[in-house]
Amino acid sequence: MNLLLGVLLQSWNILLESSIFILFGLLVSGLLRVFLNPGAVATHLGEGRFRSVFKASLLGIPIPLCSCGVLPAAAALKKQGANNGAVTSFLISTPESGVDSISITYALMDPIMTVMRPVAAFFTAFTAGIAENLLGRPDMSRPVVPDLSCPVDGCCDGVDCAPDVHRRHHGFGEKVTAGLRFAFTDVWGDLALWFLFGLLLSGAITELIPESVFSRYMGGGFSAMLIMLGVGIPIYICATASTPIAAALILQGVSPGAALVFLMVGPATNVTSLTVLTRVLGRRATAIYLTAIAVCAVGFGLLVDRIYHVLGISARAVVGQAGESIPYGIELAGAMIILVLSVKPVWHFLRSRFPDGGRRRHPGPTGDGSLAAPEHCAGST
């Protein structure tokens, strides 16, 4: 019981430190949804082996989608004319980074990791996209059919009405309201379960596992990066949920470079997404995708460890300092808001797993007593 209370206390402290930054990230993600139409941006991703990859890599940095949720978005980009290199870049930079994960990285870690995380995501995405376009010789003649439908409520398809009329369908206030609704229902609905799981796991790591275990085997160096690759590639965890785990690992003695490897490969790869990628892009493109992530993750991990060493900074000493600048009352309010917002996603998850609540149902209109359980794919958008 004491161990359980210790884990919960550690998890609660992490939630307090990160709550305001999570809410800020959600706010920005909602505004991006209504003021930046991802479908229309597809017109920039079909031409040019280098230019399209650069734009796709940059576009993916702020968008808060995980490796499961980014798959349908990337498939839509491909259908709208984006070349394979641009799609590959988008598939890497989007799950590895996002306004929400960047914000929580600043809260739980430090400015160096906050900067290096999106930089590493962009460089990795750009490298993979260029490799795919150079090796694959993409077809540059495919027509681009962008999705111009209204991002607020889909009131029109954006094709049969003039652009000036389309822009006036909704005022600024309506767009902000729609963005907030999207952020705190759709986006957080996809992230809540994984974030809560990450909180509990990070609390367990801090409370239960001795520091000597991590400092001995993952205190730095090439072997530590390889261990993190082996851990991060097959599992599924979103960028936001991986951050408290990485912060807990650093506090237990893992080098910041090894933690960065986990932050890069965990959100971008898992067995399910790699299987889907093989069908969407082909085996060669998937191999390039996975190789680029692995090589760049190890390279940036070693670089980050070197940066901390040259600057004489202890990652363990500076972890979470940004969160300490927020007054406790504001942190508490933010944590309570996060928990309230998480009730509905958790409830839907439990209903999808236990639709009958362990009880027999009376026969319904169909006569067989069956009731379709709501499907839930955590982490998809």
Side-chain angles (χ1 to χ4, degrees), residues 180 183 190 221 322 376 379:
L180 293 177
D190 292 335
H376 178 79

Side-chain angles (χ1 to χ4, degrees), residues 250-331:
I250 291 177
L251 286 174
Q252 294 300 94
V254 173
S255 75
L260 180 64
V261 172
F262 177 74
L263 290 174
M264 292 178 66
V265 300
T269 64
N270 63 76
V271 175
T272 302
S273 66
L274 292 177
T275 302
V276 176
L277 280 177
T278 302
R279 295 178 60 88
V280 175
L281 296 179
R283 286 178 292 181
R284 177 183 50 78
T286 303
I288 293 175
Y289 172 91
L290 188 58
T291 301
I293 291 176
V295 172
C296 291
V298 171
F300 271 97
L302 295 172
L303 174 62
V304 165
D305 279 350
R306 183 62 180 171
I307 290 174
Y308 278 90
H309 176 74
V310 170
L311 296 178
I313 298 175
S314 170
R316 298 174 65 181
V318 297
V319 162
Q321 286 187 352
E324 296 175 358
S325 62
I326 306 297
Y328 177 79
I330 297 179
E331 287 185 336

Side-chain angles (χ1 to χ4, degrees), residues 102-227:
I102 293 173
S103 181
I104 193 176
T105 301
Y106 180 74
L108 296 181
M109 304 181 81
D110 59 60
I112 296 177
M113 291 292 284
T114 304
V115 172
M116 291 303 299
R117 188 173 187 179
V119 168
F122 174 83
F123 184 85
T124 303
F126 186 75
T127 300
I130 293 299
E132 168 59 27
N133 275 353
L134 291 179
L135 296 176
R137 296 182 179 181
D139 181 8
M140 309 302 292
S141 62
R142 289 172 297 166
V144 176
V145 185
D147 179 8
L148 301 177
S149 60
C150 175
V152 176
D153 59 4
C155 61
C156 71
D157 59 10
V159 176
D160 298 326
C161 62
D164 57 334
V165 176
H166 181 61
R167 286 192 295 267
R168 293 198 302 268
H169 278 177
H170 300 282
F172 180 80
E174 288 180 294
K175 292 181 179 179
V176 171
T177 301
L180 293 177
R181 186 184 307 113
F182 172 76
F184 294 119
T185 56
D186 293 62
V187 176
W188 187 245
D190 292 335
L191 296 179
L193 283 170
W194 294 106
F195 178 71
L196 295 176
F197 169 76
L199 280 180
L200 293 175
L201 183 57
S202 60
I205 291 172
T206 304
E207 184 70 18
L208 303 178
I209 303 179
E211 296 181 9
S212 58
V213 173
F214 290 107
S215 59
R216 179 178 180 181
Y217 297 102
M218 288 181 284
F222 187 70
S223 60
M225 311 301 162
L226 293 182
I227 292 175

